[in-house]
Amino acid sequence: MSIYFSPFVIPFLIGVIVLIIICCIKYIRWYNQFDRVQKTVILKNIISWRFLSAIWETIMEALLHRKVFKRSFLLGYMHSSIALGWFLLIIVGAIESEIAIQTDKPFWIGIFYRYFVHDSHAFKHAQFFAHFMDLLLLYVLSGVILAYIKSIYSRIVGMKKTTKHVIFDTFAKFALWLIFPLRLLSESFTAALYNNGGFLTQTLGNMINYTVADVLEIPAWTLYSFALGTFFISMPFSRYMHIFTEVIFIFLKKLGVGENEQISGYTMFELSACSRCGICIDNCPLHKDLQLPGVQSIYFLRDLRYKRPREEIAENCLMCNRCVAECPVGLDLMTIRRQMRYKKDLDTHANYNYIENLQPFNSIGRIIYFAGCMSHLTPGIIDAMTTIFEKVDQKYWFMDKDRTICCGRPLLQQGFSIQAAELRRKNTQLIKQSGATMLITSCPICYQSFKKEYNLPIQVMHHTEYIHMLIKSGKLKLRKDDLKVVYHDPCELGRGCGIYRQPREILKTVTHLLKTKNEKEKSLCCGYNLGNTVINLEQQTKIRNAAMSSLRAKNPDLIVTACPMCKKAFKRASDFTVKDVAEIVKENIISE
Amino acid sequence: MKKIAVIGAGPAGIEAASALALQNMEVLLFEKSSNTLTNILDKAFLFPDFSLANDMVDKLNKKLLHQNITLHVGTEIVDIKQEGHEWKIIDKKGMSYIVAAVLLSTGYTPFDAKRKEELGYGIYNGVLTSLDLEKMIKYNHIENSMGEKPKRIVFLQCVGSRDEKSGNNYCSKICCVTAVKQAIEVKKLLPDTEVYIFYMDLRMWGQSFEEMYRESQEKYDVCYVRGRISEAATTFDKKIQFKAEDTLVGLPLKMNTDLLVLMVGMEASCGTKQLAKKLSIEGDYGFAQSLNIHLQDNETTSKGLFIAGSCKRPMGINETIADARSAALAIMDYVDVNQSNKESLADNN
Ligand SMILES: Cc1cc2nc3c(=O)[nH]c(=O)nc-3n(C[C@H](O)[C@H](O)[C@H](O)COP(=O)(O)OP(=O)(O)OC[C@H]3O[C@@H](n4cnc5c(N)ncnc54)[C@H](O)[C@@H]3O)c2cc1C
Ligand code: SF4
Ligand code: SF4
Ligand code: SF4
């Protein structure tokens, strides 16, 4: 038996062993659930620069929690002090014991170093290490104290709603909360006895009576070990599973692995990589405007992870992407929702026979204009686009003018992935056969579909990109009117496809663009998003009104958007003027 | 003499003003437009009897010549306040008037068809509202967007009424019969034009409405299709093409037409909405709310504040006139009772 052993190490040891075994079992099982493509991608990319960038991302996100910092400084500090602080305690502790003890030593020595090594001058810089370890402990403790406060009063760290957790979480949480105070206590007792502490533990140690310390030293270290053991054992079953899983997830993602339309091992990694931080709750429109409990991404993932998914929760999401934009882990939340919406039992294959009769139009030398089903309900947009095409002498094939099929995305969002694939196949064929070199669409839903779900050999543009290009190249000359406008970022165009700049630049050319409170990634959903089939009209209206009042806060003359859905949503609201970017452009064309 | 303020010089306001004046009350009648009867002026004929709208306008306006009535046109009332037993009426220019009782007869506005963009109003020249068509009929000038005689006219019912999406779940009551009336008028002027009416169900509730509907089919060959039109677009020859579903046959259909006429419903007018809200008598959809639809349909929760006509709910002219008279009666009762109360108070002192 090593001299660096004491019975109190046992709980810790058991914890570590159980943790390693369970994690290995889980990870291996999930890896086996990867499909062939996912596995090939990993093997192909494992030796590449992607690996380095994954390391970087791990440091930035898993340790420093950069994205959480962006959301709120205190929340970021809380997360990073515990993660980074603990990580450094382990690393620096290992270095310290490595320098101090040249002989064989067990791996836990760094964790209980001060109990086993009493000589405060064991090596040259031992004093420095003692102080430095104390500093790190203080750093972690400050985070833990913030966590105490957060659980009592979450607004301090910038969150309105904190998460309801499962029982394992509670266990793990209390263990985690106890670990560092207990470490402080144990080291202080030891310092009281042997004067081997740093600035913090020694100061505390000096205040403790020698006899008291003598009696309580071992119990304190035992409790510390118990806390560690409890935390490790409950970790794989609690949200703290994210600590390791997040790192693996970051690597997988950086190596190019992604979600499939069906649940895979990757999904399992995602589910466990969610730290249940709750950041996705506050700004979810279903929480903010409707106070619907239990449907936000955090709850959805939790229920799925504990194998009690509920269909109505999978369906109850606007697919507005707001939580995706906020999630510090960067989980692919929308695809997981879709996987759970998958409607395999509904075979509607026969319904699609008619699409075979559709014929392409010879469009060599032309572009394709695909307005989108929704734009057909807002003919003002179509009218504006066809006018613009004529103005710049652009020949086009109006692909979905008549007798046409949908891009498929609305079906996909509802879980009809087979049916959507059928439509994509036919549209792809029509587009390829037409000979056109570019496709322009007025609908962000179609745009996202053509961009991401299709694999088209031709360029795809949203009409705002196209108009922007026309203006830049001088083909389209516009005058500036003196309207004050605000721009509403449609979910599918903004957060969905990252188009923020072009519509704004167009609007700055033709109007006076006012800034609004909720812009770009923070834009509010109009509520009429096709993603949600559960909420009713009244609830949609509430979400819409919230978005609308934020847009109207600065009294603009009109609201401009770039999506027929958003336009319809706002237009139904009132007599307030709402226009599409294309319409404003059309009105301001200078005709020579 | 007691002073009564009547807000809005539509059929309701004029009828009530005249009835009150005949009973020796002094009436201040306020109208925000420069004309009275704004909602009747542009009409050609009135349902159910095809009488001339101009006649109605003349007859009603003549009633205003009574010496007890002071008409303030171009005067929009923006606020009404109760001050003890009296009421203070404030117009847009800041002038105020003190009266003993108030009658709100601020009426309706036709639904703004642009709000249903999918139907193309304001975008395609071939899409009209019933009001636009009424004007064309009045001046016998029915044309398509190319300036030609239309070969086909399609009416669409329930635009902005019975429509959850526009926020109006109620039936506007007057548009079914108006469509039948206008279809007949079109046929009288242009016998060769095909006329279709797309409806959800036809509500021929009034006296002689059903006969009119039957006549439109038997005598004028108007064709009725049950189904709603979902969207309209334009064709290369500037016609209107629309998609609909024939819900009797159960088939989707697509059809071209020269003119698509949207039968717009009635919404509470801006004045009705604003004043009803300020006076806390706001009912459903912004209309003004009476105390009891059966027994106190002109009274409100405030004593001395009365309502009449289409500011309460959609209604035709005959119903409006009857309602205005009943309001006048209620006001006279109120003034009498108030008067005797005051006298008895004075006696007691
Ligand atoms: C398309 C259409 C066709 C119709 N055809 C017929 C028909 O053929 N036969 C028939 O019987 N009925 C018809 N009607 C119904 C008829 O128009 C109404 O029944 C009638 O106008 C109601 O009268 P009113 O006085 O209640 O309201 P209104 O006619 O609306 O009068 C209200 C008046 O109040 C004024 N006002 C509003 N706010 C203020 C304010 N704040 N201050 C001062 N003034 C204000 C308005 O300017 C308006 O002049 C039709 C309606 C429509 C929509
Ligand atoms: S989904 Fe993302 S934001 Fe939401 S709780 Fe999980 S980690 Fe946090
Ligand atoms: S996508 Fe939108 S509605 Fe759905 S959970 Fe995320 S924030 Fe809420
Ligand atoms: S009267 Fe006829 S057209 Fe008008 S809302 Fe009622 S049912 Fe529809």
Side-chain angles (χ1 to χ4, degrees), chain B residues 157-158 161-162 170-176 201 203 263:
Chain B
Q157 303 291 82
C158 303
S161 317
R162 305 177 69 192
Y170 59 90
C171 162
S172 288
K173 221 168 131 181
I174 47 88
C175 12
C176 272
D201 52 313
R203 306 199 156 170
M263 303 307 295

Side-chain angles (χ1 to χ4, degrees), chain A residues 47-117:
Chain A
I47 311 172
S48 70
W49 60 269
R50 288 161 185 260
F51 199 80
L52 293 178
S53 102
I55 294 178
W56 175 246
E57 170 115 357
T58 306
I59 296 172
M60 293 314 279
E61 298 306 338
L63 289 176
L64 294 175
H65 290 83
R66 176 184 50 178
K67 287 202 193 121
V68 190
F69 264 111
K70 273 193 197 157
R71 161 77 185 248
S72 137
F73 177 79
L74 276 182
L75 195 63
Y77 180 82
M78 183 189 103
H79 280 264
S80 71
S81 59
I82 300 179
L84 180 66
W86 197 1
F87 177 74
L88 288 178
L89 270 182
I90 295 169
I91 297 291
V92 180
I95 296 172
E96 185 184 32
S97 39
E98 193 57 44
I99 306 175
I101 308 163
Q102 256 76 42
T103 53
D104 263 4
K105 51 193 169 295
F107 72 90
W108 62 76
I109 181 72
I111 313 290
F112 304 99
Y113 177 79
R114 240 150 279 275
Y115 177 80
F116 292 116
V117 182

Side-chain angles (χ1 to χ4, degrees), chain A residues 377 379-380 402 567-568, chain B residues 114 117-118 124 164 231 254:
Chain A
L377 299 180
D402 207 12
K567 184 184 174 199
K568 272 204 84 66
Chain B
K114 284 192 189 143
E117 189 180 341
E118 60 269 38
Y124 309 127
E164 205 182 19
E231 56 183 80
K254 205 181 267 180

Side-chain angles (χ1 to χ4, degrees), chain B residues 135-262:
Chain B
K135 260 183 244 173
M136 288 184 164
I137 295 172
K138 183 161 184 163
Y139 303 107
N140 190 4
H141 193 75
I142 309 176
E143 282 182 346
N144 67 11
S145 53
M146 312 294 283
E148 299 152 353
K149 251 189 209 167
K151 295 199 183 61
R152 180 184 283 166
I153 298 184
V154 173
F155 290 81
L156 172 62
Q157 303 291 82
C158 303
V159 175
S161 317
R162 305 177 69 192
D163 177 18
E164 205 182 19
K165 288 178 183 161
S166 0
N168 295 337
N169 292 355
Y170 59 90
C171 162
S172 288
K173 221 168 131 181
I174 47 88
C175 12
C176 272
V177 59
T178 301
V180 177
K181 180 200 75 152
Q182 291 187 333
I184 293 176
E185 283 160 357
V186 167
K187 277 294 202 179
K188 281 182 185 162
L189 295 170
L190 307 169
D192 300 330
T193 301
E194 287 177 20
V195 176
Y196 288 85
I197 296 184
F198 279 71
Y199 67 97
M200 285 209 277
D201 52 313
L202 282 159
R203 306 199 156 170
M204 294 298 138
W205 47 275
Q207 189 179 25
S208 75
F209 288 7
E210 187 65 29
E211 289 83 342
M212 206 160 120
Y213 168 47
R214 181 178 255 219
E215 189 181 324
S216 73
Q217 299 176 74
E218 291 177 353
K219 193 166 159 195
Y220 295 102
D221 213 15
V222 175
C223 187
Y224 291 83
V225 184
R226 200 186 84 176
R228 255 190 165 173
I229 293 177
S230 59
E231 56 183 80
T234 180
T235 60
F236 69 96
D237 54 353
K238 300 266 186 275
K239 291 195 171 192
I240 301 299
Q241 182 178 69
F242 63 84
K243 290 182 190 153
E245 187 184 353
D246 185 332
T247 50
L248 288 181
V249 194
L251 280 179
L253 63 85
K254 205 181 267 180
M255 199 165 157
N256 286 2
T257 175
D258 294 86
L259 294 178
L260 175 64
V261 184
L262 309 179

Side-chain angles (χ1 to χ4, degrees), chain A residues 468-482:
Chain A
H468 184 253
M469 186 184 79
L470 291 179
I471 298 175
K472 282 267 123 80
S473 66
K475 272 196 193 160
L476 197 61
K477 296 216 163 42
L478 303 173
R479 76 178 144 261
K480 190 173 178 119
D481 59 29
D482 37 43

Side-chain angles (χ1 to χ4, degrees), chain A residues 32-47:
Chain A
N32 284 334
Q33 287 168 15
F34 276 27
D35 67 20
R36 187 121 49 83
V37 185
Q38 287 170 322
K39 285 183 186 166
T40 337
V41 170
I42 298 179
L43 294 180
K44 208 178 80 194
N45 292 332
I46 193 117
I47 311 172

Side-chain angles (χ1 to χ4, degrees), chain B residues 271-308:
Chain B
T272 300
K273 280 186 188 159
Q274 279 169 6
L275 293 174
K277 193 166 192 177
K278 281 202 169 142
L279 294 161
S280 315
I281 53 165
E282 198 184 19
D284 294 339
Y285 311 104
F287 287 105
Q289 174 89 43
S290 69
L291 262 191
N292 179 317
I293 192 165
H294 301 292
L295 299 172
Q296 289 172 295
D297 200 20
N298 299 109
E299 282 89 334
T300 65
T301 43
S302 303
K303 289 216 165 13
L305 174 67
F306 299 84
I307 53 179

